[in-house]
Amino acid sequence: MASAASSLPLLVSSLLLALFALGAHADVKRYQFDIVMSNVSRLCHEKAMVTVNGSYPGPTIYAREGDRVIVNVTNHVKHNMTIHWHGLKQRRNGWADGPAYVTQCPIGSGGSYVYDFNVTRQRGTLWWHAHIAWMRATVHGAIVILPAAGVPYPFPKPDDEAEIVLGEWWHADVETVERQGSMLGMAPNMSDAHTINGKPGPLVPFCSEKHTYALQVKSGKTYLLRIINAAVNDELFFSIAGHNMTVVEIDATYTKPFAASTVQLSPGQTMNVLVSADQSPGRYFMVAKPFNDVPIPADNKTATAILQYAGVPTSVVPALPQTMPATNSTGSVAAFHDKLRSLNSPRYPADVPLAVDRHLLYTIGLNIDPCETCLNRSRLAASLNNITFVMPRTALLQAHYYGQKGVFAADFPDRPPARFNYTGVPLTAGLGTSLGTRLSKIAYNATVELVLQDTNLLSVESHPFHLHGYNFFVVGRGVGNFDPAKDPAKYNLVDPPERNTVGVPAGGWTAIRFRADNPGVWFLHCHLEVHTSWGLKMAFLVEDGSGPDESVLPPPKDLPKC
C-alpha cells in the first residue's frame, strides 16, 4: 500500500486533471466559416450573393469570457475576403482583427486563414462582419459572449434570449452598386429595404409575407434581446409595439438600466435590452426604421418582425407601435443618448482617464476631388483633417512589424490644417483634399482625448466612428463647434458610456478618451460604408511598451500574403 505522503502528489495531480477536464470543454470554441455563393430571395428578387456557410445573416459565435476562439475561414468565392470581430480588443493580436490592408492582406479565392484570439475581460453582445469593400452587407453575424461560469448578470436573469440583427437589402449585387457609384464619382444607390434577421417583414410589399422573422414569447417571461445594427449605411430606430425595453448594455459593456419605448443604434453598435412579455397575449410588431436628420437621401423603408405570444393564432393582425420618433427626430436621439451611463460598479468600474497626454481634434469633411474619368469630372470624397486616406497594397501592421519603408507615413496631424467656422454656412468651394496613407503614432500607455468635429463642407451629417482594438469613454458631445475653453467643463468623467462605436451628431462634436495600452496598428473609420469607401478613415500606430507583455505578438504562419 502506498504511504499517505507518496499518494499526495498523485492526489493533487488527479484533482488538477479533474478540474481541467471540467473546464476544458468551455475553454476553446472552434468554428468553420466557409465563404460561399448562395441564392437568396427577398421581395420577389433572387440573387446570388456572398454568405458564410450559406446563411444570411451568418452563424452566431458563442463563447464565454475567458475563452479562446478559433475560426478557420475558407474562401470559396472569387472575391477577396477578411473577417473583423467587431468590438473584440485583440490584445497585442492585431493579426486577428481583420480589416483588409490594415492588419492583414485579404484571403484570396481558394485560400484559408485561422483567426485565433482570446476573449479577455469582455462579455455581452458584439458581432462579426467582412471588412473589405462592401462585403459586410451580406457577410455578418452575431457574437454572444456569456459571463464567465458562475458569474451572474448585473441585472435580473432573463428566461430566454434572442439575437436581433438589423440590416439592409439590395436587389442588385452590392459590390456592383459600390463600383457604379465610384465610377460615376457619385453616391451609390441606396438599399431597397431594411431587414430584421435578414427579413424585411410583411409591411414591405412584394412577396414579403414569408420573409418575416417571428420571436415566440410566453406570458410572464422576460427576454434579453441582443440588438445589432449591421446596416451598411443607415442609423436605425428600434421599437416593439406595446412593450417597453430596459437598456442594460451597449457595445458589450454594462450600463445603468433605464426604460425606453424606442432605442437608436448607429451602424456597428450593439445593445442589450430586457423585454417582459407582460401585455395581453397577442402579436406585436417589432419595427426598425431609419434615423436621418439631414437632407441626404436614405432608404426610408420600415422593416418589421413579430413578437408572437405562445398560443395566439398567426391570423391575428399584429399591433403597430403607437408612437415612434419621426425620421428626423434629432431631439429624441440626443435625449436617448443622454441617458446612457456606464454601470460603474465595484466589479465593473468605469476607468476613465482623468489626465490626458495627447489632445487630438479631427474634423470630418465631405469633399469633392477632381476625377478625369468620372461623369462630372469630379468625385465625392471624405476626409479627416482634410486628408482622404489611401489604402495601401501592403497591410499596415505587417509593414510596421517588419519595419518596411514606403508603405505609410506616421505623421497624421493632431489638428486640422486650418481653423474655420466648422458648422457655419455650407462651404461649397475649395473642397479638394490631400491624399495620403498617414498614421498617428501614439506612445504606449498614453492617454488620448480625441474630439471628432463634424463640418458643413457640402452638408453636415451624422457619422458613427468605430475604433478597432479599444473601447473608449464618450465623455462629451454637443452641437456646433467644440470649444476647448468651455466644453471640457461639462464632460462626464464619472460614469460616461463605454463603447467601441460612437455617433458624431450632424453639425456637432463628440469627445472620447482611451488609454493606448494595446500595441499595434488600429483602424479608426466611419461605419457608414459609403463614407469609408470615400476615404473617411485613418489608423493609430500604438508603439510597443517596455514590458514583456507590451509588444505586438509575432504574426501567425498562415497570415495571408498580398
Side-chain angles (χ1 to χ4, degrees), residues 8 25 36 47 96 119 139 144 235 283 289-290 292 327 336 352-353 368 411 479 494 525 548:
L8 188 58
H25 70 281
V36 295
K47 69 175 181 179
V119 181
V139 178
V144 173
E235 302 185 83
R283 304 177 79 222
K289 59 171 281 188
N292 180 32
T327 298
F336 175 75
V352 188
I368 298 177
D411 64 351
V479 176
V494 177
H525 63 97

XYZ file of all heavy atoms in Angstrom, residues 8 25 36 47 96 119 139 144 235 283 289-290 292 327 336 352-353 368 411 479 494 525 548:
183
model
N 0.129 11.807 -2.006
C -0.299 13.215 -2.083
C -0.071 13.825 -3.460
O -0.987 14.439 -4.025
C 0.425 14.029 -0.995
C -0.043 15.476 -0.823
C -1.530 15.524 -0.502
C 0.749 16.169 0.278
N -13.932 21.802 -21.831
C -14.895 21.845 -22.922
C -15.355 23.266 -23.231
O -15.844 23.539 -24.311
C -16.114 20.979 -22.572
C -16.964 21.554 -21.474
N -16.628 21.456 -20.140
C -18.126 22.263 -21.527
C -17.560 22.060 -19.402
N -18.472 22.558 -20.221
N -19.097 31.264 -49.274
C -19.684 30.630 -50.457
C -20.708 31.567 -51.091
O -21.220 32.488 -50.456
C -20.374 29.294 -50.094
C -19.348 28.278 -49.604
C -21.468 29.490 -49.053
N -31.082 36.571 -55.953
C -29.736 36.882 -56.431
C -28.731 35.950 -55.768
O -28.972 35.397 -54.684
C -29.375 38.334 -56.133
C -29.189 38.666 -54.654
C -28.714 40.105 -54.485
C -28.490 40.448 -53.025
N -28.002 41.827 -52.848
N -5.438 39.156 -35.777
C -6.770 38.554 -35.792
C -7.876 39.592 -35.942
O -9.056 39.246 -35.880
C -7.005 37.750 -34.501
N -10.872 35.892 -25.612
C -11.906 36.824 -25.157
C -11.545 37.204 -23.730
O -11.791 36.445 -22.793
C -13.303 36.191 -25.227
C -14.355 37.189 -24.772
C -13.597 35.696 -26.636
N -22.224 39.513 -45.415
C -21.352 38.642 -44.620
C -21.236 39.239 -43.222
O -20.394 40.101 -42.952
C -19.963 38.503 -45.286
C -19.036 37.640 -44.440
C -20.111 37.900 -46.683
N -21.974 36.309 -29.280
C -22.560 36.300 -27.935
C -21.493 35.815 -26.960
O -21.035 34.668 -27.048
C -23.797 35.390 -27.868
C -24.284 35.248 -26.428
C -24.909 35.939 -28.758
N -28.441 54.696 -39.889
C -28.744 54.671 -38.463
C -30.212 54.282 -38.311
O -31.053 54.657 -39.133
C -28.476 56.032 -37.846
C -27.039 56.503 -38.034
C -26.754 57.798 -37.309
O -26.468 57.747 -36.104
O -26.818 58.857 -37.954
N -50.129 39.523 -30.908
C -48.996 39.621 -31.829
C -48.647 41.100 -31.965
O -49.528 41.950 -32.161
C -49.346 39.014 -33.187
C -49.812 37.570 -33.091
C -50.232 37.015 -34.444
N -49.077 36.639 -35.251
C -48.950 36.883 -36.553
N -49.906 37.556 -37.203
N -47.894 36.475 -37.214
N -36.701 51.402 -38.269
C -36.861 52.468 -39.263
C -35.669 53.406 -39.157
O -35.022 53.501 -38.109
C -38.174 53.232 -39.065
C -38.329 53.877 -37.708
C -39.548 54.794 -37.645
C -39.271 56.141 -38.304
N -40.358 57.116 -38.097
N -35.356 54.138 -40.236
C -34.137 54.955 -40.238
C -34.265 56.230 -39.421
O -35.343 56.790 -39.261
C -33.942 55.281 -41.725
C -35.310 55.202 -42.312
C -36.028 54.130 -41.546
N -32.565 59.889 -39.830
C -31.815 60.694 -40.796
C -32.269 62.141 -40.642
O -33.377 62.490 -41.037
C -32.058 60.202 -42.228
C -31.302 61.015 -43.248
O -30.221 61.511 -42.969
N -31.862 61.167 -44.445
N -38.511 60.388 -38.443
C -37.227 60.012 -39.028
C -36.140 61.035 -38.733
O -34.978 60.677 -38.532
C -37.387 59.847 -40.558
O -38.323 58.799 -40.803
C -36.066 59.514 -41.222
N -32.104 60.217 -25.807
C -31.812 58.812 -25.547
C -30.347 58.633 -25.143
O -30.027 57.961 -24.153
C -32.134 57.968 -26.779
C -31.749 56.524 -26.643
C -32.491 55.671 -25.862
C -30.631 56.036 -27.293
C -32.132 54.335 -25.721
C -30.258 54.710 -27.171
C -31.012 53.853 -26.383
N -12.080 55.813 -16.313
C -11.966 56.940 -17.243
C -10.626 57.654 -17.044
O -10.293 58.024 -15.911
C -13.113 57.948 -17.024
C -13.101 59.016 -18.104
C -14.455 57.243 -16.974
N -9.849 57.847 -18.117
C -8.612 58.638 -17.957
C -8.949 60.068 -17.534
O -9.726 60.752 -18.199
C -7.990 58.606 -19.351
C -8.589 57.412 -20.026
C -9.978 57.300 -19.478
N -15.032 67.162 -52.515
C -15.101 66.909 -53.956
C -13.677 66.974 -54.503
O -13.005 68.004 -54.393
C -15.989 67.931 -54.683
C -17.432 67.846 -54.166
C -15.964 67.679 -56.184
C -18.368 68.874 -54.777
N 2.695 60.547 -39.722
C 2.653 61.991 -39.498
C 1.249 62.568 -39.591
O 1.069 63.733 -39.954
C 3.576 62.697 -40.496
C 3.129 62.520 -41.953
O 2.207 61.706 -42.217
O 3.698 63.195 -42.840
N -23.608 70.285 -29.913
C -23.973 70.834 -31.221
C -23.112 72.053 -31.486
O -22.771 72.813 -30.572
C -25.472 71.193 -31.244
C -25.848 71.846 -32.558
C -26.320 69.953 -30.993
N -17.261 60.603 -14.654
C -17.606 59.671 -13.574
C -18.129 58.351 -14.134
O -17.587 57.278 -13.861
C -18.642 60.291 -12.614
C -19.058 59.293 -11.547
C -18.078 61.551 -11.973
N -12.477 54.566 -38.316
C -13.186 54.900 -39.549
C -14.667 55.112 -39.289
O -15.222 54.626 -38.300
C -13.003 53.783 -40.590
C -13.577 52.453 -40.179
N -14.816 52.014 -40.573
C -13.060 51.468 -39.409
C -15.040 50.814 -40.070
N -13.998 50.456 -39.351
N 7.347 42.825 -20.881
C 7.271 41.592 -21.675
C 5.920 41.377 -22.346
O 5.837 40.664 -23.335
C 7.555 40.488 -20.642
C 7.205 41.104 -19.317
C 7.529 42.550 -19.429
